Amino acid sequence: MSININISITKTLNLMFWFCCLCLLTHLSLAANAIDSSAMLNKVPAQRFGTVSRITGGVLMLDRATSGSRYLKLDSIVYVGEKIYTSTSGEAVIKTDDGGYIAIRPNTEFIAKVFIAQGKNTDSMALQLITGSLRVITGWIGKLNPNSHVIYTPTATIGIRGTDHEPYVLPDDLVSSTHFKAGTYDKVNRGKTLLGNEGQTLEIETGRVGFARKTQFQAKGLMTILMPVLLDKVPDFYIPGKFDAELDQFSKTADADSAQKLTQKIKNDSTLNICDPTDVAKKWLQQFDSAVEKRNAQAILAQFSPDIHVRAIVRNNDGKTTTVEFNREELVQSTIAAAKGLEKYSQRRLTINAEQSPPDNKNCDQISVKSSVIEQGIQSGKSYRLESDEEYLLKPKEGKWLAIKAQTTQR
C-alpha cells in the first residue's frame, strides 16, 4: 500500500517525510539541524484536567517534565501531571472537565496523575495528595465509573461513591501542634468513601470521618489495631476554606450539573459518537494541513499518537524508491527541522477517501484515510513541488482522533 510521501511537510508525516526526502535527494544533514527532541516531546500538549474558577493567595504550579513553574490565576488551565503547591494563605478551586470541583486548601501539595473524561465507561481520575487537604466534589466520572475515581496518599487509598468529601494528610511535623496522629483522614460531606490501608478497607458514610494511621512497619498480627477506623468527632484541624460557602451550593446540584455536562459532551462530540468516517477524515486533515501551513510543529505533532509508526516511500533521482521508517522521536526531530526551513508553502488535496477499519467495524474506533495531494514551497532555500498519496489510520484517544499509523509514497 503506497502512499505518496508528501515529503513536503504537509503533514507531520509529510513534514517528516519531506525532510527525509531532502536528506536523500540533496544530501542535507539532519545533524546540522539537530534539536533536542526530548525537549520537543515535553512540549506536546498535555491532557487538560480543569480550569481555576476561584483563587486567593499564592498557588504555584510545577511542571515536572520541563521543571518550569508558574503561579496560577483565575481561568488558568491545569494539566495532568502538574504538581500544585499552596502557600499558608493560598487556596484555589479547580473546576474539572467532567463537571466536578477540587478545592485546594492552604499548605497543600497534590498532583492530578490521571484524568480521562471522554464520556465513556473507561473514564478515570487518579489524584495524588502528598500533604495538606482537598475538598473533592465528584463530576460525571464518579457516577459513570466510580471504581476508577481514586485518591492516593502516602498512607492510604480513597475510593468514592458519588461524593463530596475532604481528604487530609497530616504529616509528622504537625502532630505536636494538632495533637492528632500522622496519617490520612477523610471527612465525608455527602455520599460515601472507601478508605483503604494495609489491605483493609473502611466505608465512611455522610457526616463521618475516617482515619488511616501512618505505620513504620508491617506486622500481620497487628492488622486489627492498625486498620482504618471511624472517629467519634471531626478533628479541629478541619477548617472551612474561603470558598466553602459556594462549594456547599455547588455540591447540592453537582450530580445534576455533571450529568448535564456529560450529555452535552456526548451530543457535541459527534466525531466519537456519531461515526461519519468522511467527516472525521476531513476535520483531521484540515487541522493537520492548517498546522503545517502555520509551521506550528507542536500542533502538527498533536495530531499523532505517541506510539505513531510512520513509513515514507521516497523516489530517488534514478527513479527507484527508498523506504524510510520513523518512530515518534525521529518524527519530532524531522518535524521541527522541516518546519523551521519551510517558506511559501501551499497545497491542494485532490481526493479524500475514508472508511471504518475494517469496513465491517460497527464500533467506529478506527478509520482508514487515503488522500492524494500536491504540495509546493521553499524548503531550506530550495524550491520543490511534490505529488503524493497518503494513508492514515485514525483512532480516538483522550477525546480526539489521532493518527496511529501513517504512510506516504512519492509519485
Side-chain angles (χ1 to χ4, degrees):
M1 160 176 79
S2 72
I3 299 175
N4 181 357
I5 179 169
N6 209 346
I7 300 171
S8 139
I9 311 177
T10 231
K11 285 138 235 245
T12 264
L13 229 246
N14 293 348
L15 257 177
M16 111 175 250
F17 299 163
W18 163 239
F19 182 68
C20 185
C21 286
L22 288 175
C23 291
L24 293 171
L25 302 176
T26 66
H27 306 288
L28 294 176
S29 170
L30 179 61
N33 294 296
I35 296 179
D36 182 1
S37 63
S38 62
M40 185 60 200
L41 279 168
N42 289 333
K43 293 181 181 178
V44 175
Q47 174 65 38
R48 274 180 56 110
F49 176 60
T51 305
V52 176
S53 63
R54 300 289 187 274
I55 192 166
T56 185
V59 182
L60 182 68
M61 187 287 299
L62 174 65
D63 187 336
R64 294 186 300 168
T66 63
S67 296
S69 63
R70 60 189 169 98
Y71 279 97
L72 295 182
K73 57 185 179 180
L74 194 63
D75 297 326
S76 289
I77 296 175
V78 178
Y79 296 94
V80 173
E82 296 180 329
K83 182 181 287 188
I84 295 177
Y85 303 83
T86 56
S87 65
T88 55
S89 62
E91 293 187 48
V93 176
I94 298 172
K95 186 170 184 179
T96 60
D97 283 0
D98 72 329
Y101 294 89
I102 308 289
I104 314 166
R105 308 301 201 190
N107 296 314
T108 293
E109 181 179 342
F110 99 104
I111 306 170
K113 301 289 287 187
V114 176
F115 184 77
I116 301 173
Q118 299 176 348
K120 300 181 180 180
N121 58 9
T122 54
D123 286 2
S124 61
M125 178 191 291
L127 307 179
Q128 181 181 2
L129 178 58
I130 301 167
T131 189
S133 181
L134 304 173
R135 180 173 176 179
V136 180
I137 301 175
T138 57
W140 80 59
I141 295 175
K143 288 291 187 181
L144 196 62
N145 196 13
N147 291 331
S148 292
H149 193 300
V150 184
I151 297 175
Y152 297 103
T153 78
T155 62
T157 300
I158 303 172
I160 63 93
R161 292 294 180 268
T163 305
D164 173 354
H165 67 125
E166 299 178 52
Y168 196 119
V169 174
L170 186 68
D172 291 329
D173 57 1
L174 292 182
V175 169
S176 60
S177 61
T178 62
H179 306 294
F180 284 88
K181 294 181 175 63
T184 297
Y185 296 78
D186 194 36
K187 179 167 75 78
V188 178
N189 303 317
R190 177 176 57 83
K192 296 180 181 180
T193 63
L194 301 174
L195 181 64
N197 179 34
E198 301 288 351
Q200 306 294 320
T201 301
L202 174 71
E203 184 175 273
I204 310 171
E205 297 184 339
T206 300
R208 302 301 302 273
V209 179
F211 168 62
R213 71 182 63 239
K214 177 181 178 182
T215 59
Q216 302 295 337
F217 55 89
Q218 291 184 350
K220 293 184 178 179
L222 297 178
M223 281 299 178
T224 299
I225 63 174
L226 295 180
M227 66 183 297
V229 296
L230 289 173
L231 303 183
D232 294 331
K233 62 179 182 178
V234 177
D236 55 16
F237 54 72
Y238 271 105
I239 300 173
K242 293 183 177 180
F243 305 110
D244 269 31
E246 289 181 88
L247 291 170
D248 289 342
Q249 297 302 311
F250 293 152
S251 184
K252 292 178 181 179
T253 60
D255 291 346
D257 292 346
S258 62
Q260 183 180 14
K261 187 167 185 177
L262 173 60
T263 300
Q264 191 63 43
K265 177 178 177 59
I266 293 174
K267 179 179 179 181
N268 293 341
D269 204 351
S270 60
T271 60
L272 295 179
N273 297 281
I274 303 174
C275 190
D276 182 340
T278 299
D279 184 56
V280 171
K282 287 182 178 180
K283 288 180 178 178
W284 188 91
L285 290 169
Q286 182 180 34
Q287 291 172 345
F288 184 34
D289 293 343
S290 175
V292 174
E293 291 174 4
K294 295 176 182 177
R295 295 183 296 175
N296 187 334
Q298 183 173 336
I300 293 170
L301 291 169
Q303 297 295 110
F304 294 84
S305 171
D307 57 354
I308 180 68
H309 176 77
V310 179
R311 175 179 295 173
I313 301 176
V314 183
R315 187 170 300 280
N316 302 320
N317 289 332
D318 59 6
K320 297 180 180 180
T321 60
T322 299
T323 299
V324 183
E325 298 192 6
F326 303 87
N327 59 29
R328 173 71 177 185
E329 184 168 340
E330 291 166 334
L331 178 64
V332 170
Q333 291 176 324
S334 186
T335 300
I336 298 171
K340 286 185 64 177
L342 181 63
E343 300 178 64
K344 297 182 179 180
Y345 172 77
S346 64
Q347 59 102 282
R348 179 165 61 94
R349 289 197 174 274
L350 305 178
T351 61
I352 298 176
N353 297 303
E355 63 179 7
Q356 295 187 51
S357 179
D360 60 352
N361 181 8
K362 303 303 182 182
N363 295 326
C364 194
D365 54 6
Q366 285 194 160
I367 292 178
S368 175
V369 182
K370 296 181 180 180
S371 181
S372 298
V373 64
I374 298 176
E375 304 172 83
Q376 62 186 24
I378 299 175
Q379 173 64 38
S380 300
K382 297 181 179 293
S383 298
Y384 71 89
R385 182 182 184 279
L386 293 173
E387 295 185 20
S388 60
D389 297 318
E390 302 168 354
E391 185 167 317
Y392 305 94
L393 185 60
L394 306 182
K395 190 176 183 68
K397 289 191 174 186
E398 297 185 351
K400 64 180 294 186
W401 288 93
L402 300 178
I404 60 173
K405 290 184 180 179
Q407 184 173 304
T408 182
T409 302
Q410 184 181 3
R411 290 180 179 176

Coordinates of all heavy atoms in Angstrom, one line a residue, residues 217-272:
F217 N 6.0 0.1 60.0 CA 6.3 -1.4 59.9 C 5.1 -2.1 59.5 O 4.0 -1.6 59.5 CB 6.8 -1.9 61.3 CG 5.8 -1.6 62.4 CD1 4.8 -2.5 62.7 CD2 5.8 -0.4 63.1 CE1 3.8 -2.2 63.7 CE2 4.9 -0.1 64.1 CZ 3.9 -1.0 64.4
Q218 N 5.3 -3.4 59.1 CA 4.2 -4.2 58.8 C 4.2 -5.5 59.6 O 5.2 -6.1 59.7 CB 4.2 -4.6 57.3 CG 4.0 -3.5 56.3 CD 4.0 -4.0 54.9 OE1 4.4 -5.1 54.6 NE2 3.6 -3.1 54.0
A219 N 3.1 -5.7 60.3 CA 3.1 -6.9 61.2 C 1.6 -7.4 61.1 O 0.7 -6.8 61.6 CB 3.4 -6.6 62.6
K220 N 1.5 -8.6 60.5 CA 0.1 -9.1 60.2 C -0.6 -9.3 61.5 O -1.8 -9.2 61.6 CB 0.2 -10.4 59.5 CG 0.7 -10.2 58.0 CD 0.7 -11.5 57.3 CE 1.2 -11.3 55.8 NZ 1.2 -12.5 55.0
G221 N 0.1 -9.6 62.6 CA -0.6 -9.8 63.9 C -1.2 -8.5 64.4 O -2.0 -8.6 65.3
L222 N -0.8 -7.4 63.9 CA -1.4 -6.1 64.4 C -2.4 -5.5 63.4 O -2.8 -4.4 63.6 CB -0.2 -5.1 64.5 CG 0.9 -5.5 65.6 CD1 1.9 -4.4 65.6 CD2 0.2 -5.6 66.9
M223 N -2.8 -6.3 62.4 CA -3.8 -5.7 61.4 C -5.0 -5.2 62.1 O -5.6 -4.2 61.7 CB -4.1 -6.8 60.4 CG -3.1 -7.0 59.3 SD -2.8 -5.5 58.4 CE -1.5 -6.1 57.3
T224 N -5.5 -5.9 63.1 CA -6.7 -5.4 63.7 C -6.7 -4.0 64.3 O -7.6 -3.2 64.1 CB -7.2 -6.4 64.8 OG1 -7.4 -7.7 64.2 CG2 -8.5 -6.0 65.5
I225 N -5.5 -3.7 64.9 CA -5.4 -2.4 65.6 C -4.9 -1.4 64.6 O -4.9 -0.2 65.0 CB -4.6 -2.5 66.8 CG1 -3.1 -2.9 66.5 CG2 -5.2 -3.4 67.9 CD1 -2.2 -2.9 67.7
L226 N -4.3 -1.8 63.5 CA -3.8 -0.8 62.5 C -4.7 -0.4 61.4 O -4.5 0.5 60.7 CB -2.5 -1.4 61.9 CG -1.3 -1.6 62.9 CD1 -0.1 -2.1 62.1 CD2 -0.9 -0.3 63.6
M227 N -5.8 -1.2 61.3 CA -6.7 -0.9 60.2 C -7.4 0.4 60.3 O -7.5 1.0 61.4 CB -7.8 -2.0 60.1 CG -8.7 -2.1 61.3 SD -9.9 -3.5 61.1 CE -10.7 -3.1 59.6
P228 N -7.9 1.0 59.2 CA -8.6 2.3 59.3 C -9.8 2.3 60.3 O -10.4 1.2 60.5 CB -9.1 2.5 57.9 CG -8.2 1.7 57.0 CD -7.9 0.5 57.9
V229 N -10.0 3.4 60.9 CA -11.1 3.5 62.0 C -11.9 4.7 61.7 O -11.5 5.7 61.1 CB -10.5 3.5 63.4 CG1 -9.8 2.2 63.7 CG2 -9.6 4.7 63.6
L230 N -13.2 4.7 62.2 CA -14.0 5.9 62.3 C -13.8 6.6 63.5 O -13.7 6.1 64.6 CB -15.5 5.4 62.2 CG -16.0 4.9 60.9 CD1 -17.4 4.3 61.0 CD2 -15.9 5.9 59.7
L231 N -13.7 8.0 63.4 CA -13.5 8.8 64.6 C -14.8 9.2 65.2 O -15.9 9.3 64.5 CB -12.7 10.0 64.2 CG -11.3 9.8 63.5 CD1 -10.6 11.1 63.3 CD2 -10.5 8.9 64.4
D232 N -14.8 9.5 66.5 CA -16.0 9.9 67.2 C -16.4 11.4 66.8 O -17.6 11.7 66.9 CB -15.8 9.8 68.7 CG -15.6 8.4 69.2 OD1 -16.1 7.5 68.5 OD2 -14.9 8.2 70.2
K233 N -15.5 12.2 66.5 CA -15.8 13.6 66.1 C -14.9 14.1 65.1 O -13.8 13.5 64.8 CB -15.7 14.5 67.4 CG -14.3 14.5 68.0 CD -14.3 15.5 69.2 CE -12.9 15.6 69.8 NZ -12.9 16.5 70.9
V234 N -15.2 15.2 64.5 CA -14.4 15.8 63.4 C -13.2 16.5 64.0 O -13.4 17.3 64.9 CB -15.2 16.8 62.6 CG1 -14.3 17.5 61.5 CG2 -16.4 16.1 61.9
P235 N -12.0 16.2 63.6 CA -10.8 16.8 64.2 C -10.8 18.3 63.9 O -11.4 18.8 62.9 CB -9.6 16.2 63.4 CG -10.2 14.9 62.9 CD -11.6 15.1 62.7
D236 N -10.3 19.1 64.9 CA -10.4 20.5 64.8 C -9.5 21.2 63.8 O -9.6 22.4 63.5 CB -10.2 21.2 66.2 CG -8.8 20.8 66.8 OD1 -8.0 20.2 66.1 OD2 -8.7 21.0 68.0
F237 N -8.6 20.3 63.1 CA -7.8 20.9 62.1 C -8.6 21.0 60.8 O -8.2 21.6 59.8 CB -6.5 20.2 61.8 CG -6.7 18.7 61.6 CD1 -7.2 18.2 60.4 CD2 -6.3 17.8 62.5 CE1 -7.3 16.8 60.2 CE2 -6.4 16.4 62.3 CZ -7.0 15.9 61.1
Y238 N -9.8 20.5 60.7 CA -10.7 20.7 59.6 C -11.4 22.1 59.7 O -12.3 22.3 60.5 CB -11.8 19.6 59.5 CG -11.4 18.4 58.8 CD1 -11.1 17.2 59.4 CD2 -11.4 18.4 57.4 CE1 -10.7 16.1 58.7 CE2 -11.0 17.3 56.6 CZ -10.7 16.1 57.3 OH -10.3 15.0 56.6
I239 N -10.8 23.0 59.0 CA -11.3 24.4 59.0 C -11.9 24.7 57.6 O -11.3 24.5 56.6 CB -10.2 25.4 59.3 CG1 -9.6 25.0 60.7 CG2 -10.7 26.8 59.3 CD1 -8.4 25.8 61.0
P240 N -13.1 25.2 57.5 CA -13.7 25.6 56.2 C -12.8 26.5 55.4 O -12.2 27.4 56.0 CB -15.0 26.2 56.6 CG -15.4 25.7 57.9 CD -14.1 25.5 58.6
G241 N -12.7 26.3 54.1 CA -12.0 27.2 53.3 C -12.7 28.4 52.9 O -13.9 28.6 53.2
K242 N -12.0 29.4 52.3 CA -12.7 30.6 51.9 C -13.8 30.5 50.9 O -14.6 31.4 50.8 CB -11.6 31.6 51.4 CG -10.6 32.0 52.5 CD -9.6 33.0 51.9 CE -8.6 33.4 53.0 NZ -7.6 34.4 52.6
F243 N -13.8 29.4 50.2 CA -14.8 29.3 49.1 C -15.8 28.2 49.5 O -16.6 27.8 48.6 CB -14.1 28.9 47.8 CG -13.1 29.9 47.4 CD1 -11.7 29.6 47.4 CD2 -13.4 31.2 47.0 CE1 -10.7 30.5 47.1 CE2 -12.4 32.1 46.7 CZ -11.1 31.8 46.7
D244 N -15.8 27.7 50.7 CA -16.7 26.6 51.1 C -18.2 27.0 51.0 O -19.0 26.1 50.8 CB -16.4 26.1 52.5 CG -15.3 25.0 52.4 OD1 -14.5 25.0 51.5 OD2 -15.3 24.1 53.3
A245 N -18.6 28.2 51.3 CA -20.0 28.6 51.2 C -20.5 28.3 49.7 O -21.6 27.8 49.5 CB -20.2 30.0 51.6
E246 N -19.7 28.7 48.8 CA -20.0 28.5 47.4 C -20.0 27.0 47.0 O -20.9 26.5 46.3 CB -19.0 29.2 46.4 CG -19.2 30.7 46.4 CD -18.2 31.3 45.5 OE1 -18.5 31.5 44.3 OE2 -17.1 31.7 45.9
L247 N -19.0 26.3 47.6 CA -18.9 24.9 47.3 C -20.1 24.1 47.9 O -20.5 23.1 47.3 CB -17.6 24.3 47.9 CG -16.3 24.8 47.2 CD1 -15.1 24.3 48.0 CD2 -16.2 24.2 45.8
D248 N -20.6 24.6 49.0 CA -21.8 24.0 49.6 C -23.0 24.0 48.6 O -23.7 23.1 48.5 CB -22.2 24.6 50.9 CG -21.2 24.3 52.0 OD1 -20.5 23.4 51.9 OD2 -21.2 25.1 53.0
Q249 N -23.1 25.2 47.9 CA -24.2 25.3 46.9 C -23.9 24.5 45.7 O -24.8 23.8 45.1 CB -24.3 26.8 46.5 CG -24.7 27.7 47.7 CD -26.0 27.3 48.3 OE1 -27.0 27.1 47.6 NE2 -26.0 27.2 49.6
F250 N -22.6 24.4 45.2 CA -22.3 23.6 44.1 C -22.6 22.1 44.4 O -23.1 21.4 43.5 CB -20.8 23.7 43.8 CG -20.3 25.1 43.3 CD1 -19.1 25.5 43.5 CD2 -21.2 25.9 42.6 CE1 -18.6 26.8 43.0 CE2 -20.8 27.1 42.1 CZ -19.6 27.6 42.3
S251 N -22.3 21.7 45.6 CA -22.5 20.3 46.0 C -23.9 19.9 45.8 O -24.2 18.7 45.5 CB -22.0 20.1 47.4 OG -22.0 18.7 47.7
K252 N -24.8 20.8 46.1 CA -26.3 20.4 46.1 C -26.7 20.0 44.7 O -27.6 19.2 44.6 CB -27.1 21.6 46.6 CG -26.9 21.9 48.1 CD -27.8 23.1 48.5 CE -27.6 23.4 50.0 NZ -28.3 24.6 50.4
T253 N -26.2 20.7 43.7 CA -26.6 20.4 42.3 C -25.5 19.7 41.5 O -25.6 19.6 40.3 CB -27.0 21.7 41.6 OG1 -25.8 22.6 41.6 CG2 -28.1 22.4 42.3
A254 N -24.4 19.2 42.2 CA -23.3 18.7 41.4 C -23.6 17.5 40.5 O -23.2 17.4 39.4 CB -22.2 18.3 42.4
D255 N -24.4 16.6 41.1 CA -24.8 15.4 40.3 C -25.6 15.8 39.0 O -25.3 15.3 37.9 CB -25.6 14.4 41.1 CG -24.8 13.8 42.2 OD1 -23.5 13.9 42.2 OD2 -25.4 13.2 43.2
A256 N -26.5 16.6 39.2 CA -27.4 17.1 38.0 C -26.5 17.9 37.0 O -26.6 17.7 35.8 CB -28.6 17.9 38.5
D257 N -25.7 18.7 37.6 CA -24.9 19.6 36.7 C -23.9 18.8 35.9 O -23.7 19.0 34.7 CB -24.1 20.6 37.5 CG -25.0 21.7 38.1 OD1 -26.2 21.7 37.7 OD2 -24.6 22.4 39.0
S258 N -23.2 17.8 36.5 CA -22.2 17.0 35.8 C -22.9 16.0 34.8 O -22.4 15.8 33.7 CB -21.4 16.2 36.8 OG -22.1 15.3 37.6
A259 N -24.1 15.6 35.2 CA -24.8 14.7 34.2 C -25.2 15.5 33.0 O -25.2 15.0 31.9 CB -26.1 14.1 34.9
Q260 N -25.6 16.8 33.2 CA -26.0 17.6 32.0 C -24.7 17.9 31.2 O -24.8 17.9 29.9 CB -26.6 18.9 32.5 CG -27.0 19.8 31.4 CD -27.6 21.1 32.0 OE1 -27.5 21.5 33.1 NE2 -28.3 21.9 31.1
K261 N -23.6 18.1 31.8 CA -22.4 18.3 31.1 C -22.0 17.1 30.3 O -21.5 17.2 29.1 CB -21.2 18.7 32.0 CG -20.0 19.2 31.3 CD -19.0 19.8 32.2 CE -17.8 20.3 31.4 NZ -16.8 21.1 32.3
L262 N -22.2 15.9 30.9 CA -21.8 14.7 30.2 C -22.7 14.5 28.9 O -22.3 14.2 27.9 CB -22.0 13.5 31.1 CG -21.9 12.1 30.5 CD1 -20.5 11.9 29.9 CD2 -22.2 11.0 31.5
T263 N -24.0 14.8 29.1 CA -25.0 14.7 28.0 C -24.6 15.6 26.9 O -24.6 15.3 25.7 CB -26.4 15.0 28.5 OG1 -26.8 14.1 29.5 CG2 -27.4 14.9 27.3
Q264 N -24.2 16.9 27.2 CA -23.8 17.8 26.2 C -22.5 17.4 25.5 O -22.4 17.6 24.3 CB -23.6 19.2 26.9 CG -23.4 20.4 25.9 CD -24.7 20.6 25.1 OE1 -25.8 20.5 25.6 NE2 -24.5 20.8 23.8
K265 N -21.6 16.8 26.3 CA -20.3 16.4 25.6 C -20.6 15.3 24.6 O -20.1 15.3 23.5 CB -19.4 15.9 26.7 CG -18.1 15.3 26.1 CD -17.1 14.8 27.1 CE -15.9 14.2 26.5 NZ -15.1 15.2 25.6
I266 N -21.4 14.3 25.0 CA -21.8 13.3 24.1 C -22.5 13.8 22.8 O -22.2 13.4 21.7 CB -22.6 12.2 24.8 CG1 -21.8 11.5 25.9 CG2 -23.2 11.2 23.8 CD1 -22.7 10.6 26.7
K267 N -23.3 14.8 23.0 CA -24.0 15.4 21.9 C -23.1 16.2 21.0 O -23.2 16.1 19.8 CB -25.1 16.4 22.4 CG -25.9 17.1 21.3 CD -27.0 18.0 22.0 CE -27.8 18.7 20.9 NZ -28.8 19.6 21.5
N268 N -22.2 16.9 21.6 CA -21.2 17.8 20.8 C -20.1 17.0 20.1 O -19.6 17.3 19.1 CB -20.6 18.8 21.7 CG -21.6 19.9 22.1 OD1 -22.7 20.0 21.5 ND2 -21.3 20.6 23.2
D269 N -19.7 15.9 20.8 CA -18.5 15.1 20.3 C -19.0 14.1 19.2 O -18.9 12.9 19.4 CB -17.9 14.4 21.5 CG -16.4 14.1 21.2 OD1 -16.0 14.3 20.1 OD2 -15.7 13.7 22.1
S270 N -19.5 14.7 18.1 CA -20.0 13.8 17.1 C -19.0 12.9 16.4 O -19.3 11.8 16.0 CB -20.7 14.7 16.0 OG -19.7 15.6 15.4
T271 N -17.7 13.3 16.4 CA -16.7 12.5 15.8 C -16.5 11.2 16.6 O -15.9 10.3 16.0 CB -15.4 13.3 15.7 OG1 -14.9 13.6 17.0 CG2 -15.5 14.5 14.9
L272 N -16.8 11.2 17.9 CA -16.6 10.0 18.6 C -17.9 9.2 18.8 O -17.8 8.0 19.2 CB -16.0 10.4 20.0 CG -14.7 11.0 20.0 CD1 -14.3 11.3 21.4 CD2 -13.6 10.1 19.4

